[in-house]
Amino acid sequence: MKKYQSSDPFKDARVTSGCAHMNDQDDPVTMILRLKDVRKTAHNWKTFQSGATPGRIVIPSEVNIRDTRQIPFEVDPPLHGSFRSLLDPWFKRPLEEHYQETLAQQVNALVDDVLKAESIDVVEDFALCLQSRALTLLLNTDVGEADTWISWGTHVFRSEDDPLDGDKAAILYDYIDEKIKASSPNPEGDLYSVLLAAEVEGKKLTHEEIKGIMILTFAGGRDTVINAVTNTISYFAQHPESLDRLRKEPEIIGRAIEELIRYFTPLTQMGRVVTQDTQVCEHAIKANSRVSLCWASANRDESVFESPNDVILDRKLNPHVSFGFSHHNCLGATHARQIMRVLIETLVAKVGSIDIIDFEENIENLGEFERKVGFRQLNINIHPR
Amino acid sequence: MAKITFITQNNIPVVVEGEAGSVMALAVENNIAGIDGDCGGVCSCATCHVHVAQEQFALVGEASEIEKDMLELDDDANEYSRLCCQIDITPALDGLVLTVAG
């Protein structure tokens, strides 16, 4: 098997049943596996709610390590829409020229550094640094803050041994508390200051609401971006001809970004809590139980995608759900897409080939399934053009 | 060359001209309000939803199954809905009027 490949462990269950079951800390989950069912469920926020106990729609559940509600992620309409109206313009800033130029400078500097190094671990030495520095742009804060975030490691919740490390979560929560307290309202400032100055439905945001937005901004874009960047590098290591092709056909970079994000699906699934007895693809689901929208399975649905297990860089029709679907689609998607674009453009301009030395995959255990979501380590030599 | 009119949510018609590519890309180039085209035109994000003028629907034709599946879950969709990333500009579209949905 090729090193970059991401298998489709859900295939048999998706085709034969459409659903699967996994336990998670004694709060079981019915996983929804087909694209159409995933989309319908994501759209039906009344029956499949996000505004449950904070942490419960995340899999593995964070109920035991978090009390703060992540906003707008764990809020249902109509209040959800009011928060999105406030936040959407801020999270669209990656479309601005200055933002893109600064991001390109960051990525160029990082690629120049790794081209000089003997060998690097893509996860620690590249993806984590790239993600952290880019996040200073999204927050409109000092780039030096990235050093603190890099020191936290690859996942703000997950340590190497324990996927739900409460101590590690506390580092982030305490950091955000301090930052909010040290900030003053300023609509032109960083995200903390902008939120302190903002109103939603005619009311100032509370400390707890600002904290919930900031936790989402930090946590939602951490291991997802790191997985996307690391998997993309592993793909180009095995497909130098794709770097050549994108150099000759830059007009397909947009499609290539969507295809790599579909194929690797950096976030495997997201949960919902069921508000009333219902059914999904003829499976009965009880009120107050959990379902998951399994983006990773939906993105390989053979009834929708031709050759779903192949990376087709210029795939024209690609209705993937890697950024979710409907009301709760990913707030950070514009930032993530811009990171992917700048990364690919920089690799195309500067890199001739990449050799993989060794690697350790990051495998998720999901009941009967095991899914590779990325790498714990990916050691490479990277060579200039 | 085709002249295409977009009617945005404040009911102001904006006429733009395009030669090739998708109608979504043309709209984004011209900053048409309400057409974002987040996914770049691969039918993944549904942020380029338009209503085609009824008498002109034959010009653009029916949506594909994949596009219909996307539109099915859009609360603003009707029988003249299209995702305009899936409409290619041709001279035959000259005079087309599209109302931005939502």
Side-chain angles (χ1 to χ4, degrees):
Chain A
M1 183 166 168
K2 288 185 178 174
K3 290 164 191 150
Y4 78 84
Q5 277 184 341
S6 167
S7 64
D8 171 22
F10 311 105
K11 181 180 169 61
D12 289 345
R14 180 177 59 241
V15 171
T16 56
S17 159
C19 289
H21 302 278
M22 65 173 276
N23 192 15
D24 167 28
Q25 302 164 70
D26 297 323
D27 189 3
V29 181
T30 300
M31 303 168 75
I32 302 172
L33 302 175
R34 294 173 183 159
L35 180 68
K36 271 194 191 187
D37 293 329
V38 164
R39 282 209 292 235
K40 274 187 190 159
T41 308
H43 189 64
N44 183 359
W45 57 269
K46 286 183 179 159
T47 305
F48 304 97
Q49 71 168 178
S50 296
T53 307
R56 196 171 171 217
I57 64 168
V58 183
I59 302 162
S61 169
E62 294 173 357
V63 164
N64 295 321
I65 59 163
R66 171 159 67 84
D67 299 317
T68 302
R69 180 173 300 284
Q70 290 188 10
I71 299 174
F73 167 64
E74 292 175 317
V75 177
D76 288 310
L79 182 58
H80 168 267
S82 302
F83 277 107
R84 282 297 290 246
S85 298
L86 167 69
L87 295 170
D88 280 346
W90 180 271
F91 281 84
K92 290 272 185 188
R93 286 162 49 253
L95 296 175
E96 294 170 7
E97 207 169 315
H98 177 69
Y99 193 111
Q100 293 176 8
E101 283 169 4
T102 314
L103 183 60
Q105 285 164 9
Q106 288 180 355
V107 176
N108 264 283
L110 202 51
V111 170
D112 286 344
D113 282 349
V114 300
L115 280 167
K116 283 183 219 143
E118 184 91 337
S119 68
I120 62 149
D121 169 16
V122 178
V123 179
E124 288 282 336
D125 303 331
F126 187 79
L128 175 60
C129 299
L130 195 167
Q131 183 274 335
S132 297
R133 288 178 197 166
L135 185 61
T136 64
L137 276 174
L138 190 61
L139 266 55
N140 196 27
T141 190
D142 184 72
V143 72
E145 284 297 307
D147 295 338
T148 304
W149 309 336
I150 290 166
S151 75
W152 292 340
T154 49
H155 192 295
V156 285
F157 300 121
R158 290 171 211 197
S159 66
E160 288 295 304
D161 306 317
D162 178 2
L164 290 165
D165 185 335
D167 291 343
K168 207 158 191 183
I171 294 173
L172 173 69
Y173 304 158
D174 293 347
Y175 171 88
I176 291 173
D177 277 334
E178 289 306 312
K179 284 285 171 190
I180 299 170
K181 280 185 208 157
S183 302
S184 326
N186 176 5
E188 307 296 320
D190 61 16
L191 184 53
Y192 307 99
S193 316
V194 168
L195 294 175
L196 280 166
E199 290 186 359
V200 166
E201 298 191 348
K203 283 185 291 205
K204 292 277 183 206
L205 276 64
T206 64
H207 178 101
E208 189 70 2
E209 286 172 332
I210 295 174
K211 185 176 175 182
I213 294 169
M214 296 310 303
I215 294 175
L216 174 66
T217 307
F218 273 96
R222 183 90 164 164
D223 54 352
T224 48
V225 169
I226 289 168
N227 287 337
V229 168
T230 309
N231 282 323
T232 296
I233 303 257
S234 77
Y235 168 78
F236 285 124
Q238 306 244 291
H239 285 277
E241 80 286 356
S242 291
L243 280 178
D244 286 337
R245 183 174 178 200
L246 292 166
R247 199 172 292 131
K248 289 177 194 139
E249 299 175 63
E251 67 277 10
I252 67 164
I253 288 179
R255 286 185 191 166
I257 292 166
E258 300 304 315
E259 176 65 347
L260 291 166
I261 289 172
R262 176 195 72 87
Y263 181 79
F264 290 116
T265 316
L267 179 68
T268 300
Q269 60 184 344
M270 186 49 65
R272 295 287 188 267
V273 172
V274 181
T275 56
Q276 56 187 310
D277 288 354
T278 186
Q279 54 176 28
V280 174
C281 66
E282 294 170 3
H283 296 255
I285 313 227
K286 286 261 179 236
N288 198 34
S289 69
R290 296 197 295 168
V291 298
S292 92
L293 313 166
C294 188
W295 318 118
S297 170
N299 280 340
R300 301 294 180 96
D301 191 328
E302 44 286 285
S303 72
V304 178
F305 297 98
E306 270 181 49
S307 305
N309 297 317
D310 295 340
V311 175
I312 299 172
L313 282 183
D314 61 348
R315 193 183 284 275
K316 190 164 186 255
L317 268 178
N318 195 348
H320 70 79
V321 284
S322 292
F323 290 119
F325 184 75
S326 202
H327 316 83
H328 284 284
N329 62 8
C330 175
L331 187 59
T334 311
H335 178 71
R337 283 182 165 117
Q338 223 32 258
I339 287 176
M340 286 291 283
R341 173 169 291 277
V342 170
L343 172 67
I344 290 173
E345 287 175 350
T346 310
L347 294 176
V348 160
K350 294 186 180 243
V351 173
S353 65
I354 302 165
D355 297 326
I356 295 177
I357 305 165
D358 55 38
F359 60 91
E360 185 191 345
E361 294 181 336
N362 183 0
I363 307 284
E364 291 178 338
N365 291 301
L366 313 159
E368 66 192 273
F369 310 110
E370 286 190 345
R371 174 174 192 253
K372 174 189 160 192
V373 69
F375 294 85
R376 290 191 182 281
Q377 264 193 56
L378 177 65
N379 294 307
I380 61 163
N381 287 321
I382 184 163
H383 308 288
R385 283 182 68 200
Chain B
M1 181 71 75
K3 276 190 186 172
I4 297 175
T5 302
F6 290 93
I7 299 173
T8 57
Q9 280 152 30
N10 50 12
N11 261 329
I12 298 172
V14 183
V15 184
V16 296
E17 283 187 7
E19 288 207 26
S22 79
V23 172
M24 179 279 292
L26 179 69
V28 170
E29 266 167 41
N30 289 281
N31 297 312
I32 302 294
I35 303 288
D36 294 339
D38 289 345
C39 75
V42 297
C43 203
S44 161
C45 70
T47 61
C48 63
H49 181 186
V50 293
H51 299 294
V52 183
Q54 182 181 348
E55 63 280 8
Q56 293 183 316
F57 195 71
L59 282 178
V60 299
E62 291 271 316
S64 68
E65 281 305 310
I66 283 177
E67 187 185 329
K68 279 183 184 165
D69 286 345
M70 293 290 289
L71 287 165
E72 184 193 358
L73 294 173
D74 193 314
D75 297 335
D76 299 312
N78 67 22
E79 59 190 309
Y80 305 109
S81 283
R82 289 292 312 266
L83 296 176
C84 64
C85 72
Q86 299 301 306
I87 306 174
D88 287 330
I89 298 171
T90 65
L93 296 191
D94 192 41
L96 184 68
V97 178
L98 302 171
T99 304
V100 177

